[in-house]
Amino acid sequence: KKELKYFEKVELKPGESKTVSYTISDDDLKFFDEKKHKWTLEPGDFTVYVCASSVDVRSKVSITR
């Protein structure tokens, strides 16, 4: 599954660039486990996608929790 966690609209002039940073916490990787009735973080590998749109992936990085 994929979930949108953060986004920011950035206006740029032609040729201009800007750095946008986010910190991904363990809470961002949790899902609600209906059987346990609590938010759960499963250990494993996660892929973070940096996109200009849902179909325009610019970069990706893997993290392990």
Side-chain angles (χ1 to χ4, degrees):
K1 285 185 178 180
K2 294 179 185 174
E3 291 184 33
L4 175 63
K5 290 295 184 177
Y6 297 102
F7 71 93
E8 184 171 338
K9 185 176 182 176
V10 179
E11 293 188 32
L12 300 172
K13 296 176 183 170
E16 184 180 16
S17 65
K18 185 182 259 187
T19 299
V20 178
S21 300
Y22 297 101
T23 300
I24 299 171
S25 70
D26 285 347
D27 284 341
D28 294 322
L29 304 174
K30 291 180 179 180
F31 70 96
F32 190 77
D33 187 327
E34 293 185 19
K35 291 180 183 177
K36 296 178 183 178
H37 295 286
K38 68 176 191 173
W39 290 94
T40 303
L41 172 62
E42 291 183 337
D45 297 324
F46 296 83
T47 302
V48 178
Y49 296 90
V50 179
C51 306
S53 72
S54 63
V55 295
D56 186 0
V57 178
R58 302 291 176 97
S59 181
K60 63 182 179 177
V61 63
S62 295
I63 56 176
T64 302
R65 290 285 187 255

